[in-house]
Amino acid sequence: MYLESSMQSMTVEEREEAFTDVARLLDSAAFEAMIEGNRKFAIFSKNMAEAIRLNADELAREDARHAQRVMQQATDLIRQFETVHPYRMRSHSVH
């Protein structure tokens, strides 16, 4: 699989940065889902983002196959959100 081979070729710092970026994308998806009223997806995405963020260093240093599995689950969740919401929010206001 492409992602697995790319994770194995990354340095620990690059893997950690990739996990941080994915956590940021999950946070963004959680925010949009909450605004749209999809509370369950928002909570799940936010929890996954927080778990990845808190463990990014450990995930980056572990076996690349394990790191790839976590990354694959996170990217699958992001893709699922993007499939259901192809038109992303450009701005928002809270009243």
Side-chain angles (χ1 to χ4, degrees):
M1 173 176 241
Y2 174 72
L3 185 57
E4 183 176 348
S5 64
S6 65
M7 289 295 276
Q8 289 175 350
S9 66
M10 290 179 170
T11 65
V12 171
E13 292 80 16
E14 290 171 334
R15 281 190 218 158
E16 188 172 358
E17 186 175 329
F19 280 116
T20 303
D21 290 343
V22 166
R24 196 173 303 122
L25 288 171
L26 285 167
D27 274 335
S28 177
F31 179 74
E32 288 186 40
M34 187 61 84
I35 287 177
E36 293 176 359
N38 192 345
R39 189 168 187 261
K40 287 181 182 180
F41 184 88
I43 291 170
F44 186 76
S45 295
K46 186 69 174 171
N47 287 340
M48 185 176 227
E50 193 64 26
I52 288 172
R53 189 176 293 107
L54 290 173
N55 297 296
D57 181 55
E58 186 177 330
L59 286 167
R61 295 178 191 289
E62 285 183 4
D63 179 30
R65 286 178 287 177
H66 177 70
Q68 181 268 333
R69 200 171 330 129
V70 172
M71 184 68 78
Q72 186 65 49
Q73 291 173 348
T75 55
D76 286 347
L77 190 60
I78 293 166
R79 281 189 194 119
Q80 177 186 359
F81 182 76
E82 289 175 347
T83 300
V84 175
H85 302 90
Y87 304 106
R88 305 298 296 257
M89 251 186 346
R90 291 183 188 247
S91 66
H92 67 278
S93 61
V94 178
H95 298 278

